Amino acid sequence: MNPVFNLDAATMSPVALFIQADWVVKFVMGGLLAASIWTWAIIIAFTGRLRRLRRETTRFERDFWKADDIDAFHKIESGSDLPSARVFSAGVQEWRRSTASGTIDKSGTRDRLATSMGAAVALEVDKLSDRLNILATVGSVAPFVGLFGTVWGIMRAFTGIASAQNSSLAVVAPGIAEALFATAIGLFAAIPAVIAYNRLSHGVNKVEAALNRFADGFHTTLSRQLDGQR
């Protein structure tokens, strides 16, 4: 038999609602709270990573366009884990392979350079956006998980009414409150995840655009050198 709750502030507090909840609702609440913590950890880490990446990318491109010797610059930056440095390395490596032979196919070299750096850009963007799918999943699934907890909690509340044979507010309110609390936690996890996913996706798109601009500029530089080849 479900207990008859007293309608007071202590009973209706979030901690009390969690303690009083059915084990299924507790499991739902615990999972949603864990998802919320995980979401905020990703948001904080990813935001810091994007800021650092934009700052270092600006520095890298500034140094690159000031460099007089591409090979010397590549020796300095070849070990960098910066996405623009990896795109740069992909272009340099393809350039060396394509111009190593005596006869140079200029059209084929240009195509291979574009393909190689384009693939490097796509790989870097995929690695950068790897954690965003977690935010998308939490944002889309958490409300429904919370709703499941709410439905289960309301079922339990009605069972309590039937067992107590009393439909007064003191009997109904705690069970309904703990059920709705599950939905609230679901929204608490989902709303930041959706907002962060949209904002961070926009940031990744800006990084991708910057990488593509750099790749296009580097391709143009190599293409000019290619025109000077016999």
Side-chain angles (χ1 to χ4, degrees):
M1 178 179 296
N2 292 316
V4 177
F5 300 104
N6 293 320
L7 191 58
D8 53 32
T11 301
M12 301 298 287
S13 69
V15 175
L17 290 175
F18 178 81
I19 294 174
Q20 295 165 179
D22 180 79
W23 68 270
V24 174
V25 181
K26 283 182 180 177
F27 181 79
V28 170
M29 291 180 181
L32 291 173
L33 286 174
S36 180
I37 294 171
W38 194 9
T39 294
W40 279 106
I42 292 173
I43 292 171
I44 294 171
F46 206 100
T47 300
R49 184 181 180 188
L50 280 179
R51 289 177 179 172
R52 183 176 66 254
L53 185 60
R54 285 195 293 265
R55 183 174 61 251
E56 293 179 354
T57 297
T58 300
R59 188 273 310 165
F60 176 87
E61 293 186 10
R62 183 183 63 247
D63 294 344
F64 170 78
W65 295 115
K66 288 181 179 178
D68 296 324
D69 189 337
I70 290 179
D71 288 330
F73 185 77
H74 181 254
K75 288 180 181 179
I76 296 173
E77 298 289 346
S78 59
S80 174
D81 60 352
L82 198 63
S84 51
R86 290 198 182 105
V87 173
F88 169 67
S89 293
V92 170
Q93 291 169 10
E94 183 55 44
W95 169 263
R96 289 174 177 174
R97 286 192 294 265
S98 297
T99 59
S101 60
T103 303
I104 300 175
D105 179 5
K106 295 183 178 181
S107 177
T109 298
R110 289 188 176 93
D111 290 341
R112 286 190 293 272
L113 285 170
T115 301
S116 177
M117 287 190 287
V121 169
L123 178 61
E124 293 302 319
V125 171
D126 285 344
K127 290 193 293 185
L128 181 62
S129 59
D130 182 56
R131 293 293 182 90
L132 291 183
N133 65 327
I134 298 174
L135 298 182
T137 301
V138 172
S140 60
V141 173
F144 295 101
V145 175
L147 182 61
F148 168 76
T150 296
V151 172
W152 187 274
I154 290 175
M155 290 171 55
R156 179 174 177 266
F158 280 113
T159 302
I161 293 172
S163 299
Q165 296 182 355
N166 187 347
S167 60
S168 68
L169 187 62
V171 175
V172 177
I176 299 297
E178 73 183 39
L180 295 177
F181 188 47
T183 296
I185 296 177
L187 295 176
F188 179 76
I191 292 173
V194 172
I195 294 174
Y197 176 79
N198 291 331
R199 293 299 303 166
L200 295 177
S201 294
H202 178 67
V204 170
N205 290 338
K206 291 177 68 175
V207 171
E208 183 179 10
L211 290 176
N212 282 322
R213 285 195 300 269
F214 173 76
D216 290 342
F218 187 37
H219 185 275
T220 300
T221 300
L222 294 178
S223 183
R224 290 196 189 100
Q225 292 191 19
L226 195 61
D227 288 337
Q229 301 284 340
R230 294 184 178 180

